[in-house]
Amino acid sequence: MSLETLSENRSFGGTQGVYRHRSQATGTDMTFGLFLPEEAQHGRVPVLWYLSGLTCTHENAMTKAAAQEWCAEAGIAIVFPDTSPRGDDVADDEAYDLGKGAGFYVNATQDPWKPHFQMWHYVVHELPELLSDNFAIDRDAMGITGHSMGGHGALTIAMTHPERYRSVSAFAPIANPTESDWGRKQLTAYLGDDRAAWRAHDSTVLMTERGYPGEILIDQGSSDQFLDLLKPESLAHAMMARRQPGQFRMQPGYDHSYFFVQSFMADHVMWHAERLI
């Protein structure tokens, strides 16, 4: 796959790049951000995947999450994929929570979404292969995190493929989408009416059925304006019932914004670094 460099900027001794390539998974051009620490000039480095939330592109977390400083300190890379396919021929919806910017990290099986909305395959398979072929990242030392819809994606992907991801965390994840309006609408559109197909994309269900072999870190703001949609209590209860190792932290006064993400980004980066290095 050919790779086009859109920009590269010096950042905390490393390089923050933005790149574009033609994706076989989505059938579209896809753009992603990648920060490489200085250590990548001398060999392969661990990589942290950051999956963004509804309405975001690769750029939101890249510019707002304040991750580069901490990744440079830890000596790990961080990649910011887009949240959906883009292009004039890509299906969309007038609502912000379906279509472009709202891929939900699933492989759609229903029209009109099926031809392009293959975000699970893109994030789990295609983009990691592209990165390892073109950059000094170590595919045997990968962690994954995300915010909101991206937290949902990070948790479900890690619990489904624990052999690929040595660490996992999440910021305010959509924790029980099969029982939320942030989930039932999108899973019906992308996967159809069979609720059995939805279960693979619900972190509360996956926690109940299989859990994760390592520890999990989750931060949730107590003043998050979307608590009723996120349903953090469902996942917290499932973690307790399974006796899942890890931490579920309710942070007093924090909302759903990137100010919340910034406030705890250092904790998350160092959490992953301890498990990847």
Side-chain angles (χ1 to χ4, degrees), residues 91-111:
D92 200 11
D93 189 271
E94 61 184 19
Y96 74 94
D97 58 357
L98 184 66
K100 294 178 185 178
F104 257 74
Y105 304 102
V106 303
N107 289 335
T109 61
Q110 307 298 305
D111 291 328

Side-chain angles (χ1 to χ4, degrees), residues 4-109:
E4 178 184 2
T5 300
L6 301 182
S7 64
E8 289 185 332
N9 298 96
R10 189 76 166 160
S11 178
F12 295 101
T15 301
Q16 175 61 63
V18 178
Y19 309 94
R20 182 166 56 206
H21 70 106
R22 188 71 179 176
S23 167
Q24 295 179 357
T26 68
T28 66
D29 288 341
M30 295 293 288
T31 302
F32 65 91
L34 174 66
F35 172 76
L36 290 170
E38 186 175 10
E39 287 84 346
Q41 299 177 25
H42 309 292
R44 293 189 178 271
V45 295
V47 59
L48 176 60
W49 291 80
Y50 183 100
L51 306 185
S52 289
L54 289 167
T55 76
C56 291
T57 68
H58 71 281
E59 187 175 21
N60 296 75
M62 186 181 76
T63 59
K64 295 180 180 180
Q68 290 87 348
E69 178 179 6
W70 304 112
C71 288
E73 182 174 324
I76 66 175
I78 185 167
V79 57
F80 307 98
D82 203 346
T83 55
S84 77
R86 310 279 175 174
D88 292 340
D89 61 341
V90 174
D92 200 11
D93 189 271
E94 61 184 19
Y96 74 94
D97 58 357
L98 184 66
K100 294 178 185 178
F104 257 74
Y105 304 102
V106 303
N107 289 335
T109 61

Side-chain angles (χ1 to χ4, degrees), residues 2-249:
S2 61
L3 190 67
E4 178 184 2
T5 300
L6 301 182
S7 64
E8 289 185 332
N9 298 96
R10 189 76 166 160
S11 178
F12 295 101
T15 301
Q16 175 61 63
V18 178
Y19 309 94
R20 182 166 56 206
H21 70 106
R22 188 71 179 176
S23 167
Q24 295 179 357
T26 68
T28 66
D29 288 341
M30 295 293 288
T31 302
F32 65 91
L34 174 66
F35 172 76
L36 290 170
E38 186 175 10
E39 287 84 346
Q41 299 177 25
H42 309 292
R44 293 189 178 271
V45 295
V47 59
L48 176 60
W49 291 80
Y50 183 100
L51 306 185
S52 289
L54 289 167
T55 76
C56 291
T57 68
H58 71 281
E59 187 175 21
N60 296 75
M62 186 181 76
T63 59
K64 295 180 180 180
Q68 290 87 348
E69 178 179 6
W70 304 112
C71 288
E73 182 174 324
I76 66 175
I78 185 167
V79 57
F80 307 98
D82 203 346
T83 55
S84 77
R86 310 279 175 174
D88 292 340
D89 61 341
V90 174
D92 200 11
D93 189 271
E94 61 184 19
Y96 74 94
D97 58 357
L98 184 66
K100 294 178 185 178
F104 257 74
Y105 304 102
V106 303
N107 289 335
T109 61
Q110 307 298 305
D111 291 328
W113 315 104
K114 181 179 178 179
H116 301 295
F117 280 75
Q118 303 294 314
M119 290 301 296
W120 180 284
H121 185 83
Y122 176 70
V123 168
V124 175
H125 300 288
E126 184 178 47
L127 191 52
E129 181 177 346
L130 178 72
L131 292 183
S132 66
D133 286 347
N134 289 275
F135 302 97
I137 66 127
D138 183 357
R139 286 185 67 182
D140 292 325
M142 297 199 306
I144 191 166
T145 188
H147 175 228
S148 193
M149 178 184 73
H152 140 81
L155 292 170
T156 57
I157 287 171
M159 281 191 275
T160 303
H161 293 290
E163 75 285 354
R164 290 176 175 263
Y165 303 94
R166 284 165 44 182
S167 58
V168 60
S169 71
F171 300 86
I174 301 174
N176 195 192
T178 62
E179 301 299 332
S180 169
D181 289 340
W182 269 1
R184 287 180 295 218
K185 171 184 176 180
Q186 295 83 359
L187 295 174
T188 300
Y190 295 141
L191 302 178
D193 294 326
D194 183 3
R195 291 177 64 93
W198 302 0
R199 296 176 65 83
H201 300 285
D202 187 312
S203 59
T204 296
V205 171
L206 292 177
M207 178 58 63
T208 300
E209 293 181 348
R210 64 178 71 183
Y212 180 74
E215 296 178 282
I216 292 177
L217 173 62
I218 297 173
D219 276 310
Q220 172 65 62
S222 69
S223 296
D224 193 313
Q225 59 271 45
F226 302 115
L227 279 175
D228 289 343
L229 293 165
L230 300 171
K231 296 189 176 297
E233 66 281 358
S234 298
L235 180 56
H237 291 158
M239 289 177 68
M240 288 295 292
R242 190 175 185 84
R243 300 178 181 176
Q244 169 68 47
Q247 300 179 42
F248 195 115
R249 309 189 304 191

